[in-house]
């Protein structure tokens, strides 16, 4: 029985890159602007497997990619994705993030980061993105420490980008979290809850900070075995 369970876990496991791309599809994202980089190759491989679901627009410069994503978000009204590599790539993309912040444009910047075991060791092109993109640059900056946290982290930044005053959010993805395999379930998108927050904060004119109350609601998610699991509670902040 234990051996069978292990075999099932190995069969159902996905790389962090595959988990990330599956989350994009769950959130109805079908276009990505990027400058390919070696720091997120597993995500690029996963994009190839989902080429019928997501269109990849390859750019020659990260500033152009981020500006294109920002403009695309303005046109569609939905958060778009810009994917860049670490160091200079992320710094170049900061131009588009600054524009999105000032124009209240919802968008998501994904950054390939150095592996977790090289953090804070001055690794090649290492930058602390939580400090670099902190407010007022972006509404929220997160970094995952393991690939199994990607579904929750992406759902959180997506909801944050469209709630309250829309704006850019940043998710840093260490290379090893995209390479390693994990056995995690898909998270349902928090788009519905983000829209509810947007409606009430805009209609009433009340801008408050909600910490683990409104979005601390557990959401049932049915898996292939027809049983229910409870999604992790999420913390959500609204900024005017």
């Amino acid at each position: 029985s234990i051996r069978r369970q292990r075999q099932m876990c190995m069969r159902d496991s996905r790389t962090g890159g595959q988990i990330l791309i599956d989350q994009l599809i769950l959130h109805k994202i079908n276009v990505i602007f990027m400058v390919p980089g070696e720091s997120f190759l597993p995500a690029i491989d996963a994009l190839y497997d989902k080429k019928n679901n997501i269109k990849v627009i390859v750019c020659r410069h990260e500033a152009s990619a981020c500006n294109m994503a920002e403009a695309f978000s303005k046109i569609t009204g939905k958060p778009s994705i810009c994917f860049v590599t670490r160091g200079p790539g992320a710094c170049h993309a900061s131009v588009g993030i600054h524009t999105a912040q000032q124009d209240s444009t919802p968008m998501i910047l994904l950054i390939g980061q150095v592996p977790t075991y090289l953090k804070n060791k001055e690794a090649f092109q290492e930058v602390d993105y939580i400090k670099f993109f902190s407010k007022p640059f972006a509404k929220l900056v997160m970094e995952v420490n393991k690939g199994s946290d990607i579904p929750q982290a992406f759902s959180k930044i997506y909801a944050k980008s469209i709630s309250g005053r829309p704006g850019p959010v940043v998710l840093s993805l260490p290379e090893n979290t995209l390479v390693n395999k994990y056995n995690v379930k898909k998270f349902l998108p928090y788009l519905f809850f983000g829209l509810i927050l947007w409606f009430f904060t805009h209609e009433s004119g009340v801008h408050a900070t909600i910490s683990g109350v409104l979005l601390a609601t557990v959401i049932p998610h049915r898996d292939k075995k027809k049983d229910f699991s409870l999604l992790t509670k999420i913390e959500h902040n609204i900024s005017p």
Side-chain angles (χ1 to χ4, degrees), residues 32-230:
I32 292 181
F33 302 88
M34 73 156 63
V35 177
E38 56 84 22
S39 60
F40 56 96
L41 288 177
I44 297 177
D45 290 339
L47 279 170
Y48 181 80
D49 296 334
K50 303 290 184 179
K51 56 182 179 291
N52 295 328
N53 302 95
I54 299 178
K55 180 179 181 180
V56 178
I57 299 178
V58 178
C59 307
R60 299 298 180 91
H61 196 279
E62 291 84 3
S64 299
C66 203
N67 284 330
M68 292 168 70
E70 194 272 338
F72 191 79
S73 295
K74 276 193 173 81
I75 295 171
T76 61
K78 301 186 298 182
S80 60
I81 302 293
C82 177
F83 212 150
V84 299
T85 192
R86 60 180 180 259
C91 293
H92 293 158
S94 64
V95 178
I97 294 298
H98 184 260
T99 303
Q101 178 64 26
Q102 291 200 330
D103 289 359
S104 301
T105 305
M107 69 167 294
I108 299 171
L109 177 64
L110 303 178
I111 305 173
Q113 174 64 298
V114 299
T116 55
Y117 53 82
L118 293 179
K119 287 296 299 296
N120 302 318
K121 296 181 180 179
E122 297 186 4
F124 180 63
Q125 295 183 340
E126 179 185 3
V127 176
D128 188 339
Y129 300 112
I130 294 179
K131 293 180 180 179
F132 186 90
F133 287 103
S134 61
K135 291 183 179 181
F137 225 143
K139 289 186 66 178
L140 178 65
V141 187
M142 297 183 66
E143 182 172 288
V144 297
N145 293 316
K146 52 185 178 180
S148 55
D149 293 335
I150 291 176
Q152 180 186 358
F154 187 84
S155 295
K156 182 175 181 178
I157 65 169
Y158 188 97
K160 183 69 173 178
S161 70
I162 61 176
S163 65
R165 175 186 172 182
V169 292
V170 180
L171 180 60
S172 175
L173 301 158
E175 188 174 355
N176 59 321
T177 65
L178 298 175
V179 173
N180 297 335
K181 288 190 174 184
Y182 306 88
N183 185 33
V184 296
K185 296 179 180 179
K186 298 178 182 179
F187 267 48
L188 295 175
Y190 286 93
L191 174 61
F192 177 71
F193 296 94
L195 290 175
I196 292 177
L197 287 171
W198 180 89
F199 175 79
F200 281 107
T201 55
H202 279 70
E203 291 298 319
S204 63
V206 177
H207 297 282
T209 300
I210 301 176
S211 299
V213 178
L214 187 57
L215 285 187
T217 308
V218 288
I219 309 170
H221 175 54
R222 188 184 294 272
D223 65 9
K224 296 179 181 179
K225 294 182 179 180
K226 304 295 183 180
D227 64 335
F228 285 91
S229 62
L230 299 179

